[in-house]
Amino acid sequence: MTNVKASRNKARAKVDENDVARILGGKRHWADVGGPEDVAHDRYEIQVKGGLRVANDTIRNGLSSAQAAAIGTGKLPVLVLVDRAGTRIRRYAVMDLETWADYEGISGNDD
């Protein structure tokens, strides 16, 4: 396992938050205070999480399958995760961020 200093993690998180803000046309909160919102946006409350263990092969392969199925259909590829941990079943929609932003017409400058 690689040891990464906290300062490097904060720098990576800042880059991730800035990228998300740019893609979605929002604005990153300047303070690294760990609050409930990382990116200010008119339509969404955005919290950004990143890291080496955020996605696994179930997520990667499932989203790839949805993307392949959507080719030529004009439909938005969505992976739905069903989390059975704990006492309540929770469901999450996972999409490629840039594809979703374009679909929603909220895309910022994503150069």
Side-chain angles (χ1 to χ4, degrees):
M1 173 155 62
T2 305
N3 258 341
V4 178
K5 293 183 180 182
S7 62
R8 185 150 179 190
N9 279 339
K10 282 193 173 268
R12 286 180 180 169
K14 182 178 176 179
V15 168
D16 290 343
E17 291 166 7
N18 279 321
D19 287 346
V20 169
R22 179 179 34 79
I23 291 165
L24 296 179
K27 184 174 181 182
R28 179 185 176 270
H29 287 287
W30 63 271
D32 293 324
V33 294
E37 182 182 68
D38 291 328
V39 175
H41 194 278
D42 292 341
R43 292 174 56 187
Y44 305 104
E45 292 293 336
I46 302 170
Q47 180 67 229
V48 179
K49 296 294 180 194
L52 294 176
R53 293 181 186 90
V54 173
N56 60 27
D57 284 342
T58 299
I59 294 169
R60 289 185 197 98
N61 294 338
L63 189 53
S64 290
S65 293
Q67 289 168 330
I71 292 172
T73 67
K75 295 180 181 180
L76 184 65
V78 179
L79 167 65
V80 176
L81 300 175
V82 180
D83 182 2
R84 298 185 188 284
T87 59
R88 263 179 75 195
I89 293 175
R90 307 239 358 226
R91 295 168 186 89
Y92 306 94
V94 178
M95 295 171 248
D96 176 76
L97 183 64
E98 291 83 356
T99 302
W100 175 68
D102 288 343
Y103 183 85
E104 288 291 310
I106 57 173
S107 194
N109 179 9
D110 57 353
D111 295 340

